[in-house]
Amino acid sequence: PGSCPALCECLEAAKTVKCVNRNLTAVPPDLPSYVRNLFITGNRLACLPAGAFPAQRLPDLRALNLSGNHLRAVEAGALAALPALRQLDLSGNPLVSLSPQVFGEGGSPLEELALRGALRDHGVLLSLATVLQSGVLRNLSRLELADNGLLLLPAGMFTALPALRQLDLSNNSLVGLRNVSFQGLGQLQSLNLSNNSLGVLRNGTLAQFRGLPALRRIGLGRNTWVCDCAIEDLVAWLKESDQVEGKEALTCAYPDKMLGKALLKISGSDLNCSMPVDLPSQLQTSYVFLGIVLALIGAIFLLVLYLNRKGIKKWMHNIRDACRDHMEGYHYRYEINADPRLTNLSSNSDV
């Protein structure tokens, strides 16, 4: 139990084992059972198989750092049944496969998860969303997803994390949060959205921020804010909210005439809002108006028909009589042409 694996450094008093930059290709099988803090970083593990950290040998493992190991695959059950695991760092690994059952099916006590620069593959992001939504990490209080180049987040990704307090989405390429739900994150205290590509935050997102009672720190710096009519709600929220850190430094990136202008100093006269910016709502209003006009025209037409019903009835009778006289003339001529005797008689009478 007190042995130390080759190529590793063991500090029994601190209950720490470090296997750093040793070109390891697998997790050492002879880790001491006393270990609480395990650092296996800067190696070449490539794959983390099922049962890589057996619970019976590591009952006290609390902090596990696997960053920078060139990991590409984490298989089902690789991190399952570790009863004391609270912190996990998988940052800096080029993951292409992450099993949704990586923590098993019985739940994990994990509280902190770091995946900085490990979600470049979209399939891995979807797998992570499946893990988070499954409820297996309901104790998670800190989630770090920075430096992943994320454009959009899967819908409902954070809905099963009721204990989450810190969420770091900084240094990505997020262009919007329209499909992201923060509902249910009643414990969320810190949200970092800095250094992304956000152009505006819609009213729905702002309403969610207002509804999070514990949220006190929101980072929005270094985003590409588009200062047109759509930003009015964001500006109004910034002026009334005390949640945003360094909000005085937020400036416009577009259009050129607004470049560098502080968002807090924008007024209605700075924005040309003569034309509606919400085209779908505008079209919907137009369709409703068109339907009302057509219904009104139809009602007037029916009213005219009702008021002139006698004249219309007389006109229809006249049309019917005229058509009947015309048809009788055709019928008479047909009988004459069909009977040779009547034809000769008609010819003689004409002469």
Side-chain angles (χ1 to χ4, degrees):
S3 64
C4 187
L7 304 180
C8 294
E9 177 185 357
C10 300
L11 304 172
E12 186 172 358
K15 300 185 183 302
T16 299
V17 174
K18 297 181 179 180
C19 310
V20 180
N21 298 326
R22 297 294 186 174
N23 287 324
L24 298 176
T25 57
V27 176
D30 52 348
L31 292 167
S33 60
Y34 64 74
V35 62
R36 290 186 181 178
N37 307 300
L38 178 58
F39 296 83
I40 304 178
T41 63
N43 294 287
R44 298 184 175 276
L45 299 185
C47 177
L48 204 62
F53 301 95
Q56 62 271 22
R57 289 198 293 108
L58 303 172
D60 298 323
L61 182 59
R62 183 178 180 87
L64 176 59
N65 191 329
L66 296 171
S67 61
N69 276 308
H70 297 85
L71 274 173
R72 296 180 61 83
V74 182
E75 299 180 355
L79 300 168
L82 292 174
L85 187 63
R86 297 296 186 271
Q87 302 172 3
L88 174 64
D89 192 343
L90 290 170
S91 300
N93 287 295
L95 295 176
V96 295
S97 176
L98 177 66
S99 171
Q101 290 81 38
V102 60
F103 295 101
E105 298 180 357
S108 170
L110 193 68
E111 296 177 355
E112 299 183 14
L113 176 60
L115 290 162
R116 180 181 290 270
L119 302 176
R120 298 285 176 172
D121 184 273
H122 185 65
V124 175
L125 175 63
L126 297 179
S127 296
L128 175 64
T130 302
V131 173
L132 298 178
Q133 292 169 335
S134 70
V136 71
L137 297 179
R138 295 186 64 83
N139 295 312
L140 199 66
S141 63
R142 182 174 180 272
L143 179 59
E144 185 177 349
L145 303 178
D147 300 324
N148 283 304
L150 304 177
L151 289 172
L152 294 170
L153 296 173
M157 185 174 181
F158 309 119
T159 54
L161 302 175
L164 194 65
R165 289 184 172 87
Q166 300 177 24
L167 177 58
D168 188 355
L169 293 167
S170 64
N171 199 28
N172 283 293
S173 301
L174 295 174
V175 295
L177 299 174
R178 180 169 291 186
N179 65 326
V180 180
S181 174
F182 298 100
Q183 293 181 353
L185 302 182
Q187 303 297 320
L188 189 64
Q189 300 174 358
S190 174
L191 174 61
N192 192 348
L193 293 166
S194 61
N195 202 14
N196 276 282
S197 299
L198 297 172
V200 68
L201 293 180
R202 302 287 179 179
N203 233 342
T205 301
L206 301 178
Q208 291 188 58
F209 290 164
R210 293 188 185 98
L212 298 176
L215 186 57
R216 290 292 177 266
R217 297 188 302 276
I218 303 177
L220 295 175
R222 299 184 301 280
N223 277 283
T224 55
W225 303 112
V226 179
C227 295
D228 56 15
C229 293
I231 208 168
E232 285 186 312
D233 293 331
L234 173 59
V235 171
W237 172 72
L238 286 174
K239 291 179 179 179
E240 70 180 27
S241 174
D242 58 355
Q243 296 172 303
V244 182
E245 294 181 323
K247 60 182 181 180
E248 296 80 7
L250 302 182
T251 59
C252 302
Y254 301 100
D256 291 340
K257 66 177 183 178
M258 300 288 285
L259 180 63
K261 186 176 182 64
L263 266 60
L264 288 177
K265 295 183 179 180
I266 293 178
S267 61
S269 59
D270 296 322
L271 306 173
N272 182 15
C273 299
S274 58
M275 295 297 291
V277 295
D278 193 351
L279 186 58
S281 298
Q282 181 184 5
L283 291 176
Q284 184 178 7
T285 303
S286 300
Y287 291 146
V288 171
F289 180 74
L290 179 60
I292 293 174
V293 171
L294 292 177
L296 183 61
I297 292 175
I300 294 175
F301 179 72
L302 293 176
L303 180 62
V304 171
L305 290 179
Y306 176 76
L307 295 176
N308 292 276
R309 59 188 183 281
K310 294 183 178 179
I312 293 174
K313 185 176 181 180
K314 182 179 180 181
W315 178 74
M316 292 295 294
H317 283 305
N318 292 337
I319 292 293
R320 184 190 63 185
D321 293 341
C323 291
R324 184 176 58 190
D325 294 343
H326 198 63
M327 292 302 297
E328 287 179 352
Y330 275 114
H331 183 69
Y332 175 73
R333 293 182 62 184
Y334 173 76
E335 290 179 346
I336 292 177
N337 292 334
D339 192 338
R341 294 174 299 172
L342 294 176
T343 303
N344 294 334
L345 180 60
S346 177
S347 299
N348 293 333
S349 63
D350 289 341
V351 175

